Structures are given as C-alpha cells and as structure tokens.
Amino acid sequence: MPFPPNPIPHLRRIHHHNVHTFKSQPLAELSGSLGDLGTLLPLMTALVITHSISLPSTLLFTGAANILTGVAFGIPLPVQPMKAIAAVAIARKFTLEENAAAGLVVAGLVGLFSVTGLIAWANRVTPVPVVKGIQVGAGLSLCMSAGTTMLVPLRWTGPWWGDNLLWAVAAALLLLATSAYPKFPYAMFVFTTGVALSLLAPTSSESPTPSTPLIPILHPSAHDFWTATSTASLGQLPLTLLNSVIAASALAADLLPSPPYPPTPSVTALGLSVAALNLVGCWFGAMPACHGSGGLAGQFRFGARSGSSIVFLGAVKFSLGVVALWNAQPIVSVLAGIPKALLGVLVLAAGVELAKVGESVNTDARDLRVFDAERAWDGKRVKELDGREKSERWVVMLVTVAGVLAFRNDAVGFVAGLAWHWGFRGARGVREWRDGGEYAEEERRGLLAGEDVGVVA
C-alpha cells in the first residue's frame, strides 16, 4: 500500500527518528541540508532574474514542501527545481504563466499516473537512452544559456571590477581545484561571494523590479499551456517519473533501508507529493519543483540521515519567503546584482552535472541492472551488451540530444529518440526474420559484436 492504514503511529515514529537523529548528530544534519543547494541556488536565481517565477512564492511553497516532506517521510528527500523546465525557461525567457503551465502539466500527469498505477507503464515504454538523452540535452542547453547570456557578454575588465572574465576564470579554477573534495561547499562559497559583490556593486537604475504582485494569482491561457507542453513539459515528464519518483524511491531503499530508518516512500506517495506541490504552488508563481535521486544522494553524502535536515532547510527558506513577502525588492536587487561571471559558472556547473548522467547509458543504467530474487541490486551485476547494442543505445541518446539542441525543444528530442529506438528494434526484427533466426543466435553468442558499427565491445 502507498500509505500506512493508520498514519498516526507512522508519523510518531518518523518524528522520533528525526528528533533523535538531529540530537545525536546536529552538525551532520545541518551540513547535509546544503547538499542540493548547488542546483537550487543558480537555477532559482536565474529564473527570478528572467521574471519566470515569483521569489516569495517559490521560497514559501518550496520551504513548506521541505518541511512537510521531512515530517511525512523522515528522510533527506530534496525539493529541487524541475531541471528540464528550468533549462527551457531560462533559455526562452518564459513568462510567469508559461512557467506555471509547464509545472501544472507535469504535475497533473504525474498525479494521474500515480493514482492509476501508470508510473510502472511509463517506465517500461520510455527507453532509458531517450530519458538520458533528454537529461543530457537539458544540461547542455543550460550550459549554452549560461555561456551566451551570462559569460559571452563579459570583458576582461568589465562591466565593473566585480563582474568580468577574471572572476569567471577564478570561479572555474576553484571548481576544478575542489573537484577532489566533494564535501567542499563550492556553490555556497561562490554564491556567498556573489552576494557580497552584489552588495558592493554600483547602483543601477536598470535593477529589475517586481512587475507583478509578490504572490501573483496566475491564469495561464491555452496558448501558454501549448507552448509549455511542446517545449518543456513533455521533456520533463519522463525525468520526473523516472528520476524524481522511481529512482528516488529505489535510492532511498538502498541508502536508508528500513529498519533502522523509516519505511521507504513508495512511488505512489512520491508521485502524489510532486503533484500536490506543483498543483498548489504553480498557480501562485512558485518554481516548478520535484524530488530527485541526485539531490538525495548529495544530501546523504554530506551527512543527512533524517528528515530533520530538510525541515531545517525548509524553515530557513520559508522565513526568507516571509521577508521577501514583506519587501522583495532588496532580495531581488541582490540576486540581480550577483556577478554574471559567478552565476554563469554556477549555472554551467549545474548543467554539466545534469549532462553527466549520459555516461552510464551503457554501464550501470537502470535497465541494465541485474536484481536478485528480493529485487535488490548489489551495485555490480549488470547486463552484458554486445557492440551493436551499445552503439544503438549511444546513437539513440545522441539523436535525442541533437533534437533537443537543434530545435531547442525537448519534445522534438523525445520524439526523435523514440523514433530511432523503435527504428533499431524494427531493423533488428527484420534481420532476424530475414535470416530465419540465425542472426539472433549468432548475436547472442557474441559473434557479431562490434561488426558493421565500428565499435569494439
């Protein structure tokens, strides 16, 4: 069952776990709460500057979601931006209505798939190479957006001493130097430096001011929904279903098994959580958000072992949201004044981190893992692929990436990747029919591995 029949004992156990864990290791929990800010901060900042989200709404609703998630699940489950939507929104400068429509479409479909049990079906029909291609394409789009809109316009000495290519080079070198120290809070360090420089920046009459109410009530049009669905939502949907729901649940079971930790959230519970967050917050200009296996892994690596870590983070975000609600202009001005050199490197790093998922398409992707009788994976056993299979999976991912980047449209990449995937499947069926099954038998024996595709198995 997705939820316990009697939630009171369940919540009481989670509360005890959260309190006990925080009392026994407070520094680890506080450190772990920062594990996903490297993704949140640059994307949220860029979306605020492009007027695609409301800052007070985002802080209030995502902060409340952090608190409720920590209380309900008792694990360091993140509330992070929907990266594919954020990448498209930043690149295309989505309006508040278009961004809200993108989140609402994904949330509605995720909620529908959750209550009807269709998440498992979506997992089966969406090939992993296509999903990874969408992720890689979204990450590279984010990198391109960071370069063209933030870094390319800079000069070595301008536009002022706190924002130039020298700062960008310094931030990039620091990123490289700290790559061997994963616990170094790089994003927080660079972001704090950017805030300090923003406070020292010369005042500008061009500083953006909120052009909408602090908590807007949005009414996306049919055109907004069409634009959002065709450019962002369709690409985000498989990522949310697979990464934010299915993969997050599986990773929680691996990292935080029950007992001694609280029961692992089911995919239905996580799907409904994502749907509720966006079906409420997006109408008020909040950033489309979801959970994610990457954020969970980051927070776990930095020490978080309970929901108390994200309850703390949520309380901080909610408090800042209240301040922004009282007077958002100073916060918006500070965010807008952050040097583009530093913000560009942060967004670039976030894009690279998202694109890195493509490296596992032929190694330990989820569809290659071999599970035991208890549906557990030991982290080592994977299905062996021959040269042709590796090449086909790689090409499907690249075609998907090419569609995303060439047309700046995730939907095009998604359809192109699916077409190539089923094209390869159809070609294989034709070969097997033509050769009367002999080709398939030879392929299983590995005699054709690497032939005709120029790949060494």
Side-chain angles (χ1 to χ4, degrees):
M1 296 181 63
F3 300 101
N6 187 353
I8 301 302
H10 174 75
L11 294 177
R12 185 181 296 115
R13 175 187 173 186
I14 289 177
H15 174 72
H16 178 269
H17 171 71
N18 288 342
V19 172
H20 173 75
T21 305
F22 186 81
K23 287 183 177 180
S24 62
Q25 49 180 32
L27 292 180
E29 290 296 301
L30 296 179
S31 174
S33 69
L34 307 177
D36 194 41
L37 290 186
T39 299
L40 171 66
L41 291 178
L43 293 181
M44 184 181 70
T45 302
L47 288 169
V48 168
I49 292 175
T50 58
H51 299 291
S52 297
I53 62 173
S54 163
L55 178 62
S57 292
T58 295
L59 292 173
L60 289 172
F61 282 101
T62 60
N66 277 128
I67 295 172
L68 293 176
T69 298
V71 170
F73 297 132
I75 62 174
L77 193 66
V79 175
Q80 57 187 202
M82 289 188 177
K83 299 180 184 66
I85 289 180
V88 175
I90 294 170
R92 300 173 67 94
K93 299 187 186 307
F94 267 9
T95 64
L96 286 169
E97 288 77 11
E98 289 172 334
N99 204 45
L104 289 170
V105 169
V106 174
L109 292 174
V110 170
L112 177 64
F113 286 6
S114 298
V115 298
T116 59
L118 290 176
I119 289 183
W121 172 84
N123 185 29
R124 290 196 303 270
V125 302
T126 306
V128 169
V130 174
V131 175
K132 288 189 176 293
I134 295 281
Q135 290 176 309
V136 174
L140 295 180
S141 296
L142 204 57
C143 294
M144 293 169 62
S145 176
T148 56
T149 63
M150 299 180 185
L151 299 178
V152 170
L154 297 177
R155 302 186 302 274
W156 288 107
T157 57
W160 67 289
W161 66 266
D163 189 11
N164 51 52
L165 289 177
L166 293 176
W167 283 100
V169 172
L173 291 176
L174 180 62
L175 179 63
L176 179 62
T178 57
S179 61
Y181 303 94
K183 292 188 177 182
F184 180 79
Y186 173 83
M188 284 299 298
F189 178 82
V190 174
F191 186 79
T192 303
T193 303
V195 170
L197 290 172
S198 177
L199 295 173
L200 297 174
T203 58
S204 173
S205 59
E206 298 180 357
S207 179
T209 57
S211 57
T212 58
L214 296 179
I215 302 293
I217 300 177
L218 304 178
H219 301 87
S221 65
H223 182 266
D224 293 327
F225 277 104
W226 168 251
T227 300
T229 301
S230 61
T231 59
S233 299
L234 186 58
Q236 180 66 52
L237 180 61
L239 306 186
T240 299
L241 291 173
L242 297 175
N243 183 57
S244 301
V245 178
I246 297 174
S249 178
L251 184 63
D254 292 338
L255 298 180
L256 303 162
S258 177
Y261 300 101
T264 300
S266 67
V267 294
T268 300
L270 293 184
L272 292 176
S273 174
V274 171
L277 166 61
N278 292 281
L279 289 177
V280 174
C282 286
W283 293 108
F284 301 96
M287 175 181 63
C290 58
H291 305 305
S293 57
L296 173 59
Q299 292 177 161
F300 180 89
R301 184 184 65 184
F302 281 91
R305 296 296 184 272
S306 76
S308 63
S309 59
I310 56 170
V311 169
F312 166 78
L313 176 62
V316 172
K317 290 163 64 177
F318 194 88
S319 300
L320 290 176
V322 172
V323 174
L325 186 61
W326 181 263
N327 186 4
Q329 180 56 42
I331 298 178
V332 173
S333 297
V334 170
L335 291 176
I338 293 175
K340 299 298 187 292
L342 301 184
L343 184 59
V345 174
L346 281 175
V347 176
L348 192 66
V352 170
E353 189 67 24
L354 178 56
K356 281 170 54 179
V357 300
E359 66 181 351
S360 64
V361 66
N362 285 329
T363 54
D364 61 345
R366 285 192 315 105
D367 61 334
L368 300 180
R369 296 174 182 177
V370 178
F371 297 90
D372 59 23
E374 286 74 30
R375 298 297 300 165
W377 184 53
D378 60 7
K380 299 179 180 179
R381 298 177 60 199
V382 295
K383 175 185 175 182
E384 293 186 5
L385 299 175
D386 61 34
R388 184 181 297 278
E389 290 173 319
K390 289 181 179 180
S391 176
E392 290 178 355
R393 289 169 65 90
W394 184 254
V395 169
V396 168
M397 185 179 74
L398 289 184
V399 167
T400 305
V401 173
V404 171
L405 296 182
F407 294 91
R408 297 180 62 187
N409 191 315
D410 286 5
V412 173
F414 181 78
V415 173
L418 282 179
W420 248 257
H421 169 80
W422 289 109
F424 281 134
R425 292 284 297 270
R428 178 171 298 185
V430 170
R431 288 194 300 267
E432 292 178 0
W433 172 80
R434 181 193 62 196
D435 299 334
E438 295 179 4
Y439 180 91
E441 180 62 27
E442 291 177 343
E443 193 172 45
R444 281 194 294 270
R445 293 201 306 264
L447 296 181
L448 297 182
E451 290 187 14
D452 299 328
V453 294
V455 176
V456 178

